[in-house]
């Protein structure tokens, strides 16, 4: 069984704060509507979160580019490479279960940071995942693959 840990967590603040501001947090709760307290919580769309592996930032650093973690709009940043997982795979993070919905393939905004960035991390931008239940996750939580589709 493959396992790793959560390195950092991020959420997008709601309108009452600084709308759209991405904030690094130590923990958060989520359910089948997304991250509780996030701007995108229960917005009527299918709730998806972005999980990014350290592998993405390793590729960026190997190209001698320097960016803060969070640039890839991840909600969950982990130390384990999970990019081989296909839609329908199940990941356990802390006390929560998430279903992999597929690879995150939105690269457009990355051109503004470095024109080569989208091509550099193509296929390693992150995974869309969706919570299957209510629970909390925190920095340092164990990350395990329970089922590969």
């Amino acid at each position: 069984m493959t396992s790793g840990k959560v390195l950092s967590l991020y959420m997008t603040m709601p309108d009452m704060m600084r709308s759209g501001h991405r904030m690094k947090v130590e923990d958060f709760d989520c359910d089948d509507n997304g991250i509780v307290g996030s701007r995108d919580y229960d917005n009527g769309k299918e709730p998806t979160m972005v999980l990014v592996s350290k592998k993405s930032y390793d590729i960026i650093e190997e190209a001698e580019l320097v960016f803060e973690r969070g640039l890839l709009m991840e909600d969950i940043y982990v130390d384990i490479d999970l990019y081989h997982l296909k839609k329908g795979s199940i990941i356990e993070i802390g006390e929560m279960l998430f279903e992999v919905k597929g690879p995150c393939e939105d690269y457009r905004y990355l051109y503004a940071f470095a024109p080569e960035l989208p091509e550099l991390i193509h296929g390693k931008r992150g995974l869309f995942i969706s919570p299957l239940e209510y629970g909390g996750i925190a920095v340092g939580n164990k990350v395990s693959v329970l089922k590969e589709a």
Side-chain angles (χ1 to χ4, degrees):
M1 181 183 295
T2 309
S3 67
K5 72 176 182 176
V6 175
L7 297 175
S8 55
L9 298 168
Y10 302 87
M11 67 185 289
T12 304
M13 301 311 293
D15 294 339
M16 65 185 146
M17 307 279 288
R18 239 173 69 206
S19 181
H21 173 69
R22 304 252 319 139
M23 190 166 107
K24 190 172 183 179
V25 296
E26 289 300 311
D27 58 35
F28 56 63
D29 290 340
C30 44
D31 61 21
D32 58 2
N33 289 311
I35 300 170
V36 176
S38 169
R39 177 191 68 185
D40 299 320
Y41 182 75
D42 196 19
N43 64 6
K45 298 178 188 169
E46 181 176 348
T48 53
M49 299 165 57
V50 178
L51 179 143
V52 170
S53 166
K54 183 179 178 300
K55 175 74 175 166
S56 300
Y57 288 103
D58 289 347
I59 292 168
I60 292 169
E61 288 171 5
E62 286 167 13
E64 299 183 3
L65 297 171
V66 179
F67 294 109
E68 292 283 324
R69 301 306 183 257
L71 172 78
L72 300 177
M73 302 302 285
E74 63 267 27
D75 298 299
I76 304 170
Y77 175 55
V78 300
D79 66 353
I80 180 175
D81 185 351
L82 299 172
Y83 296 143
H84 65 283
L85 295 177
K86 302 208 178 344
K87 182 177 180 169
S89 296
I90 305 295
I91 303 169
E92 182 178 37
I93 303 175
E95 61 187 55
M96 295 210 49
L97 297 178
F98 294 88
E99 180 180 358
V100 174
K101 296 297 186 178
C104 180
E105 296 180 337
D106 184 0
Y107 301 96
R108 295 169 299 203
Y109 77 97
L110 295 173
Y111 285 104
F113 296 99
E116 68 273 28
L117 191 53
E119 186 175 324
L120 192 65
I121 62 166
H122 186 79
K124 306 263 188 244
R125 155 78 168 74
L127 291 173
F128 283 124
I129 60 173
S130 188
L132 295 177
E133 57 192 10
Y134 176 83
I137 60 175
V139 172
N141 277 165
K142 183 178 177 181
V143 177
S144 301
V145 176
L146 296 185
K147 175 188 138 196
E148 288 196 37

